Amino acid sequence: MLTLVMVLALGQVTFIERPLPDVVIGNVTPFTGRTTTNYLHGDVDRDGDSDLILPSGLFLQEKGVYGGAPTKALPPFSQDVDADVYDGKLYYRSHDHLSVYAFEGDTWKLTLEQSLAWPGKAAVLGRSRQKNPSLRFRRFLHDLNSDRIPELVAVDYSGTHLFRLEGEHYKPAGILDLPANIAVSRSAHQSIWPREAREILFPEQQMSCRLVFEGQTFRTVSIRERRKNTTRYAIQSWMLALSDEGTYYAQKTLDDMPKPLPAHLRPCRLNGDNRMDFAGGRWLRSEASPVPTPLYELWATLDGGDTFHVRRAAAYAQFRPHCAFVDFDGDGDMDMITESTQWPRGSVREQLNRFLTESRIEHVIHIYAQDEGKFSPKPDLQHRINFELESPPAKPGVMLSRYEAGSLVSLTGDFNGDGYRDLVVRSAPEELALYLATGWQGFDTKPAWSLAIPRDVDAYVADLNDDGLSDLYLRSRTISTEGETHPGTAYYAQRGTR
């Protein structure tokens, strides 16, 4: 097989291009700026560089890139398993079993194997011993006492179960209370005729609670009260400690119940203080123009609901922002981002003519800096972009769907390591460009790098090789028919650029 290696040095950024199959990079979570992925990083060969673990196999890193094919398949499994990585070791858990593998020489070696009943998983992972069992990457390893040996964390209706390594095996190490409310999720239809078909079916229930482990601090965020337009959250924090018997127990350090908040707000962390933040967005209709204009309204509160920061942006009918909060300047605080379109301007006739005949969309990015627990009242940075569609919106194409999904622009990557987020733009169906940030002054007027790409290719931003610099990943929407390999191409950003 011919391996393609290309160094791209157009302008001020250098990339190395390599084929990389089977990577999936999903949407950006709205209030973190982080992408969802289908891979794990871990230095499995102990050479100081992170390797890539995909469901299809292991890719070892060499000189900052991965080869075009997996080095080794993952260890086999006979039932559904969840997988996680810690200190270069691969952990498999099923509903009744735990296995740990280390990559030594050129193969996986089993270093720990034991029976372990996983709370709450028997009904899920053990439901059926399928002919084709599945593997999922899930976070269940946490080093709670900073001893470089991870604890196992499992959650079910009875609480948060902890397991710690004692000798050569993991053993139960305490159960933390789970202050979550139980609510009816749905009630199944019950037939009363014929008589012999009658049976009592209890409604299905669910528990809703967010768990956060930050070192030895354990925090829960649960819904205490939900009404039509408001939600009230309860926030509790504990400090974990280890008893002489080897069991974890928790001492409460915080018990907070913020005011009832608008129902569209969700808990998040937008800065480094000890308070939980809340943010969210909603769509409105403005009646100020001849045609009702869609508005995306972004909300955030950094003080538990005492003060709300609300910013509005005119939106295209189906447009969803790529991300709402990003640490643009690298100071540790998330800055607020809104994206607006100039589409609604003008009279009804002008808007209709634009809908039928124009294939250009004018787009503006606004960034509001966070400083001392508040966001700037006016944008600290504005940047205008023009997108060229394949055709007017009256004849929607792929570019319009990409625009509506917010995937034509990304502010989540830092490609040169200066701490500022750079701008990746797909301004036309076959054009991808990178503009470096110049601090709060904005972005370079000329791209530091650009690439002609096929129309059916989607572009994503992620740190593929875990070196601290963001990379690009291009993947075709056309799925390969050769086996189960899904082709893709990685562009690894190189250090030493401006």
Side-chain angles (χ1 to χ4, degrees):
M1 178 182 295
L2 177 64
T3 300
L4 174 64
V5 182
M6 181 183 296
V7 177
L8 300 173
L10 308 179
Q12 305 144 330
V13 177
T14 302
F15 288 88
I16 294 180
E17 176 192 352
R18 281 283 183 89
L20 183 64
D22 295 332
V23 168
V24 175
I25 299 173
N27 294 328
V28 175
T29 51
F31 309 132
T32 67
R34 298 176 182 173
T35 54
T36 55
T37 64
N38 73 329
Y39 56 77
L40 296 174
H41 282 126
D43 183 11
V44 301
D45 59 358
R46 308 289 180 174
D47 65 351
D49 295 324
S50 291
D51 305 303
L52 194 68
I53 301 175
L54 282 159
S56 59
L58 168 67
F59 292 77
L60 295 178
Q61 185 176 161
E62 296 181 8
K63 298 181 179 181
V65 302
Y66 302 113
T71 302
K72 278 289 181 181
L74 299 187
F77 45 91
S78 59
Q79 55 184 311
D80 290 350
V81 296
D82 290 343
D84 200 357
V85 172
Y86 186 87
D87 194 27
K89 293 183 178 181
L90 180 62
Y91 290 67
Y92 279 176
R93 73 174 190 195
S94 66
H95 72 284
D96 62 355
H97 205 78
L98 176 70
S99 303
V100 182
Y101 296 88
F103 193 76
E104 299 179 4
D106 193 35
T107 187
W108 293 102
K109 292 187 177 180
L110 185 65
T111 62
L112 184 153
E113 185 174 27
Q114 68 173 89
S115 297
L116 183 68
W118 195 252
K121 300 301 291 186
V124 179
L125 291 179
R127 181 168 295 166
S128 63
R129 306 216 173 202
Q130 311 171 36
K131 293 182 179 179
N132 297 309
S134 64
L135 179 146
R136 299 174 297 181
F137 293 142
R138 300 211 175 206
R139 180 80 184 276
F140 58 87
L141 301 175
H142 298 267
D143 186 4
L144 302 179
N145 56 359
S146 303
D147 63 351
R148 302 290 298 173
I149 301 175
E151 281 72 31
L152 311 181
V153 179
V155 180
D156 70 357
Y157 66 91
S158 62
T160 302
H161 299 251
L162 305 178
F163 301 82
R164 66 187 299 264
L165 189 64
E166 294 186 13
E168 297 181 352
H169 295 90
Y170 276 90
K171 296 181 180 180
I175 303 176
L176 307 179
D177 291 335
L178 191 66
N181 295 332
I182 300 178
V184 174
S185 60
R186 61 179 178 176
S187 181
H189 172 74
Q190 301 185 41
S191 301
I192 61 174
W193 299 105
R195 184 183 297 273
E196 58 270 15
R198 295 181 187 177
E199 59 179 333
I200 298 176
L201 298 176
F202 290 97
E204 294 185 21
Q205 296 178 324
Q206 67 178 6
M207 301 179 70
S208 176
C209 182
R210 179 172 297 187
L211 308 179
V212 180
F213 284 95
E214 297 176 328
Q216 292 183 251
T217 299
F218 172 65
R219 179 173 295 169
T220 64
V221 183
S222 58
I223 296 176
R224 185 55 54 90
E225 182 182 74
R226 190 194 297 275
R227 296 191 176 183
K228 181 178 181 181
N229 297 316
T230 61
T231 304
R232 191 165 195 180
Y233 292 88
I235 303 169
Q236 301 179 60
S237 296
W238 290 268
M239 181 64 69
L240 298 179
L242 192 62
S243 68
D244 294 336
E245 293 76 23
T247 300
Y248 282 99
Y249 62 94
Q251 298 175 326
K252 185 175 289 187
T253 60
L254 175 68
D255 196 344
D256 185 23
M257 188 180 298
K259 302 174 182 178
L261 301 170
H264 59 276
L265 298 189
R266 299 290 182 270
C268 57
R269 294 297 299 272
L270 299 179
N271 52 37
D273 63 18
N274 292 324
R275 300 204 66 174
M276 184 65 64
D277 306 311
F278 297 87
R282 63 179 181 177
W283 277 265
L284 305 173
R285 288 279 181 179
S286 171
E287 304 295 336
S289 61
V291 178
T293 302
L295 296 176
Y296 182 74
E297 193 173 68
L298 181 61
W299 289 55
T301 176
L302 306 175
D303 53 16
D306 293 332
T307 305
F308 293 100
H309 302 268
V310 182
R311 305 290 183 268
R312 284 184 172 183
Y316 187 78
Q318 305 296 325
F319 173 75
R320 298 184 68 88
H322 183 62
C323 59
F325 296 93
V326 163
D327 183 8
F328 175 74
D329 55 3
D331 66 350
D333 296 335
M334 304 293 280
D335 305 302
M336 180 183 285
I337 298 176
T338 63
E339 300 180 47
S340 62
T341 178
Q342 304 301 300
W343 189 270
R345 70 186 189 279
S347 64
V348 175
R349 177 173 293 184
E350 289 174 316
Q351 293 189 39
L352 180 60
N353 181 68
R354 195 176 303 119
F355 180 78
L356 294 173
T357 63
E358 289 191 16
S359 58
R360 171 178 291 190
I361 292 182
E362 297 180 25
H363 191 80
V364 182
I365 297 173
H366 311 266
I367 305 180
Y368 302 82
Q370 183 184 165
D371 186 34
E372 297 182 353
K374 60 183 179 181
F375 295 101
S376 301
K378 294 183 179 181
D380 295 273
L381 189 158
Q382 297 185 64
H383 187 76
R384 187 178 300 271
I385 306 168
N386 289 324
F387 294 112
E388 295 291 343
L389 310 180
E390 309 101 319
S391 58
K395 298 178 180 179
V398 175
M399 276 290 285
L400 182 60
S401 67
R402 288 183 174 125
Y403 178 76
E404 292 173 343
S407 62
L408 295 183
V409 56
S410 175
L411 265 172
T412 61
D414 177 8
F415 292 85
N416 60 355
D418 66 351
Y420 286 90
R421 302 289 175 165
D422 304 310
L423 179 65
V424 176
V425 177
R426 186 173 191 164
S427 56
E430 299 178 349
E431 180 180 333
L432 186 70
L434 166 64
Y435 297 85
L436 295 180
T438 57
W440 283 104
Q441 288 71 43
F443 301 94
D444 285 341
T445 57
K446 294 183 179 180
W449 175 87
S450 62
L451 181 69
I453 60 176
R455 290 173 177 253
D456 69 335
V457 165
D458 291 325
Y460 306 92
V461 176
D463 186 358
L464 294 170
N465 54 2
D466 197 29
D467 66 348
L469 295 183
S470 298
D471 308 304
L472 290 169
Y473 186 72
L474 273 57
R475 179 169 173 166
S476 173
R477 291 191 172 193
T478 303
I479 302 301
S480 172
T481 57
E482 299 177 3
E484 297 184 355
T485 299
H486 304 300
T489 303
Y491 293 81
Y492 302 96
Q494 303 299 292
R495 294 195 178 275
T497 59
R498 184 180 72 77

